[in-house]
Amino acid sequence: QVQLVESGGGLVQAGDSLRLSCAASGASVYYSMGWFRQAPGKEREFVGAIGWNGGSPNYADSVKDRFTISRGAFETVMVLQMNSLKPEDTGVYYCTADSRPISAHSMENPRYWGQGTQVTVSS
């Protein structure tokens, strides 16, 4: 059974940085991993994702150049480094994994989801 556990959320001020981690257990090293987020009163949205080999991460336009996803090849720990945070980045951040590639254009949601970690950015 695949389990995803996020850590690192918290309350920060606008302009600050925050680092989220996701550890996957029971998952194949060949799974893609990604992040989604959901702000209060809004639909869940794609943040970014990375392939099994740790290369070619893809990001939502809203976070590109501010957020960085990293993951070692054949590893099942993924890190989301968030810089220059804005109040609109506030939300619950979910770690995801799937045997298929994860992207903003994926037709289906990732199969596996973590419980989420809260990120709050104050102005």
Side-chain angles (χ1 to χ4, degrees):
Q1 183 177 357
V2 176
Q3 289 188 323
L4 305 175
V5 179
E6 305 96 337
S7 61
L11 171 63
V12 297
Q13 293 186 331
D16 284 352
S17 297
L18 201 60
R19 183 182 175 97
L20 304 184
S21 294
C22 173
S25 60
S28 167
V29 296
Y30 294 106
Y31 276 18
S32 295
M33 298 181 73
W35 293 96
F36 285 70
R37 69 185 181 188
Q38 186 166 21
K42 295 187 177 182
E43 292 188 355
R44 190 169 54 199
E45 63 175 355
F46 171 81
V47 174
I50 192 165
W52 64 270
N53 62 355
S56 302
N58 64 102
Y59 303 96
D61 289 342
S62 59
V63 306
K64 200 173 294 183
D65 299 327
R66 297 189 298 122
F67 290 11
T68 302
I69 294 176
S70 59
R71 172 190 180 187
F74 300 106
E75 292 184 359
T76 53
V77 175
M78 174 179 61
V79 173
L80 176 63
Q81 178 67 42
M82 303 184 292
N83 298 328
S84 302
L85 282 162
K86 305 175 181 180
E88 50 264 43
D89 294 318
T90 293
V92 178
Y93 282 68
Y94 297 93
C95 174
T96 66
D98 202 306
S99 58
R100 303 163 297 181
I102 299 172
S103 77
H105 308 293
S106 297
M107 297 299 292
E108 297 181 9
N109 286 324
R111 181 174 181 181
Y112 302 105
W113 292 75
Q115 292 298 311
T117 185
Q118 177 70 44
V119 172
T120 304
V121 184
S122 63
S123 57

